[in-house]
Amino acid sequence: MYLVSKIEDTVRVPPHRFEEPLREVAAEILNENYMGKIDKKMGLMVTVKEIEDIGVGRVIMGDGAAYHDVVFTALFYKPELHEIVVGEVIEVTDFGAFVRIGPMDGLVHVSQVTDDYINYDAKRGALLGKESKKSLEEGNHVRARIVALSLKERSSETKIGLTMRQPGLGRLEWIQEEKDKAKKKRKS
């Protein structure tokens, strides 16, 4: 889920940037400091949306920079447990598929791909259903549910577990095939 939040902070503008537009410099510095950081309540900060207010700069003795109090809005991405997400498979391994969901990645373990027995085809870099012949490869788009979530302050330590073993979940083509089958069944 994406959230927009209003934040107050102080920005240190170094002297060599005094000639540049203050709002642009403040937004750039805030993005450098916070973008990609995770707050347990808000989630991952994606970007500074807008600088709403910038106070008058203060200079502190021994430092030539100007310190400005700022109020800004920021866009956050916070995955929620049981949330249904759509993403792209970015890597397939023998133990599962990594799926890019917004600015983060989750893992669909092989046991959570389908109800079918799954084999890993190293040549293709694909997960293959033994009976259903369904395949999951890099570049496929999928719908999955978040079933495990551990947000850490560093995004590299964050873990998101996904499942596609529930009705209405899986590779988007699989879902469409199921809809088409159900439609034909209703007609007959």
Side-chain angles (χ1 to χ4, degrees):
M1 164 176 27
Y2 286 93
L3 308 163
V4 175
S5 182
K6 188 180 288 193
I7 301 171
E8 295 179 18
D9 197 2
T10 302
V11 174
R12 179 187 182 273
V13 179
H16 70 274
R17 303 211 54 193
F18 286 171
E19 297 296 318
E20 299 174 45
L22 184 56
R23 283 186 185 277
E24 290 175 22
V25 171
E28 187 179 311
I29 291 170
L30 289 167
N31 274 320
E32 286 172 9
N33 290 338
Y34 295 113
M35 196 166 61
K37 299 272 190 325
I38 294 178
D39 177 89
K40 289 204 180 226
K41 291 181 184 174
M42 299 303 299
L44 175 85
M45 186 172 148
V46 178
T47 190
V48 171
K49 276 187 54 127
E50 179 184 4
I51 304 285
E52 292 186 358
D53 186 41
I54 298 182
V56 176
R58 299 179 313 278
V59 177
I60 297 173
M61 190 181 317
D63 185 359
Y67 290 80
H68 296 268
D69 292 330
V70 295
V71 177
F72 64 99
T73 55
L75 178 66
F76 289 88
Y77 175 72
K78 184 173 186 205
E80 296 285 339
L81 201 56
H82 307 297
E83 178 181 9
I84 294 181
V85 294
V86 175
E88 180 180 354
V89 176
I90 58 168
E91 183 181 355
V92 178
T93 67
D94 59 339
F95 58 86
F98 290 94
V99 178
R100 171 99 3 108
I101 50 173
M104 301 175 110
D105 299 337
L107 172 67
V108 181
H109 189 269
V110 288
S111 65
Q112 297 298 311
V113 175
T114 68
D115 291 331
D116 197 357
Y117 181 79
I118 300 291
N119 288 312
Y120 175 62
D121 182 346
K123 284 183 191 174
R124 274 179 63 185
L127 297 175
L128 306 170
K130 186 175 183 178
E131 293 177 22
S132 66
K133 304 295 184 214
K134 291 179 177 178
S135 68
L136 188 63
E137 302 175 59
E138 197 174 302
N140 291 157
H141 288 83
V142 299
R143 182 181 300 147
R145 179 182 304 275
I146 297 174
V147 292
L149 183 62
S150 174
L151 287 180
K152 301 290 182 189
E153 288 190 19
R154 287 191 288 199
S155 60
S156 62
E157 295 175 358
T158 292
K159 306 253 187 285
I160 301 173
L162 304 169
T163 186
M164 300 189 320
R165 286 183 63 171
Q166 299 169 347
L169 302 180
R171 188 172 155 187
L172 297 183
E173 290 82 0
W174 303 344
I175 297 167
Q176 188 59 48
E177 288 171 11
E178 291 298 320
K179 285 181 182 178
D180 293 345
K181 283 181 190 175
K183 200 175 195 180
K184 282 183 184 178
K185 193 174 182 180
R186 282 194 304 265
K187 285 184 179 181
S188 56

